[in-house]
Amino acid sequence: MVKVNREDDFKKNAIFHGPRFDVYAEDDQGIIYDFEMQNEDQHDLAERISIYQGNLSRQALYAGQPFKKRKRTVVFFICDHDPYGLGWPSYALKVELVGCPNFSVDNKETNVIVNLKTDVSQLTQAQREMVAYFNDGIVSRAFSQKLAAAVAEVKADAIRGGIYMTIEEYAALKSAYAREQGEEAERAKTIVGLAALDMSRAQIIEFLKTNMDLSEEEAQAAYDNAMAAHA
């Protein structure tokens, strides 16, 4: 890497949400990287990634340059949970052409999710060391030793710069998540209650769209999740 910034801060605007990058880097090929740790499944990983990519994109092209010169931006989320429940060691997200699932569109955005809860039997030695380090703090061979040293350096820079998330920011984030979970629980109770009144699936979905401001897809998912949990 030719440039590395620890917790590069984009939180400059009180209105629009901006991310805090855990580690921001750019290599000698001009590729811009963002590495993030996600310690809790808040069911918003895709939305988080899109916001981080949006902020990286602001640095991917200089004014006056043709769009073909856009730098590639890569977001890595290292998660201590399996976000999709498939057991894969990592997930790569890409843009597809609707109706042509085998036709990928390269917009020079790369998104990778690392699953620290995967089965390690099929991993390389370096990957096993990484999983053991992040899961249990185990430092064994050369790769995990370098990894531990890099993490220590990141933490030291963060402390010196005073750029850890403030208590107020953390409390606000947790409050928003709890509120969302509460809303989902109340919504599920409503769905089950309407079903008990012999309303059909289509009627309940229409009710959710009209009265709870949900899209068709959100209403369908809310109905299916509520009824599956109630079964």
Side-chain angles (χ1 to χ4, degrees), residues 162-199:
I163 50 181
Y164 278 133
M165 182 179 291
T166 66
I167 293 174
E168 292 81 3
E169 289 172 329
Y170 180 77
L173 180 64
K174 297 294 287 185
S175 176
Y177 180 56
R179 185 169 60 252
E180 180 180 315
Q181 294 295 96
E183 290 173 355
E184 289 181 0
E186 289 301 316
R187 185 186 302 147
K189 290 180 182 178
T190 299
I191 292 169
V192 172
L194 294 175
L197 296 174
D198 293 327
M199 288 183 64

Side-chain angles (χ1 to χ4, degrees), residues 124-227:
T124 65
Q125 178 60 42
Q127 290 172 331
R128 291 184 185 185
E129 289 184 53
M130 180 190 71
V131 170
Y133 174 76
F134 282 115
N135 280 335
D136 303 306
I138 297 173
V139 178
S140 54
R141 301 186 182 182
F143 179 80
S144 55
Q145 290 172 358
K146 292 180 180 179
L147 182 59
V151 170
E153 186 178 355
V154 168
K155 288 183 177 179
D157 280 358
I159 293 171
R160 283 196 296 270
I163 50 181
Y164 278 133
M165 182 179 291
T166 66
I167 293 174
E168 292 81 3
E169 289 172 329
Y170 180 77
L173 180 64
K174 297 294 287 185
S175 176
Y177 180 56
R179 185 169 60 252
E180 180 180 315
Q181 294 295 96
E183 290 173 355
E184 289 181 0
E186 289 301 316
R187 185 186 302 147
K189 290 180 182 178
T190 299
I191 292 169
V192 172
L194 294 175
L197 296 174
D198 293 327
M199 288 183 64
S200 68
R201 181 178 187 273
Q203 289 174 321
I204 294 175
I205 288 174
E206 191 61 34
F207 175 91
L208 296 174
K209 290 164 57 180
T210 303
N211 296 280
M212 296 188 176
D213 197 28
L214 299 182
S215 67
E216 178 74 25
E217 294 76 13
E218 290 170 336
Q220 290 177 1
Y223 176 90
D224 292 340
N225 290 339
M227 298 308 292

Side-chain angles (χ1 to χ4, degrees), residues 94-106:
K94 66 178 183 178
V95 178
E96 292 182 349
L97 188 65
V98 175
C100 300
N102 295 323
F103 190 101
S104 61
V105 179
D106 184 12

Side-chain angles (χ1 to χ4, degrees), residues 34-68:
D34 167 36
F35 298 88
E36 299 292 326
M37 289 294 300
Q38 186 69 23
N39 296 320
E40 183 177 358
D41 187 2
Q42 298 188 357
H43 310 289
D44 60 1
L45 197 54
E47 291 85 355
R48 284 174 179 265
I49 288 174
S50 69
I51 295 297
Y52 281 87
Q53 275 288 1
N55 280 278
L56 287 184
S57 296
R58 291 163 49 189
Q59 304 173 67
L61 189 70
Y62 291 111
Q65 283 188 311
F67 288 109
K68 291 289 288 184

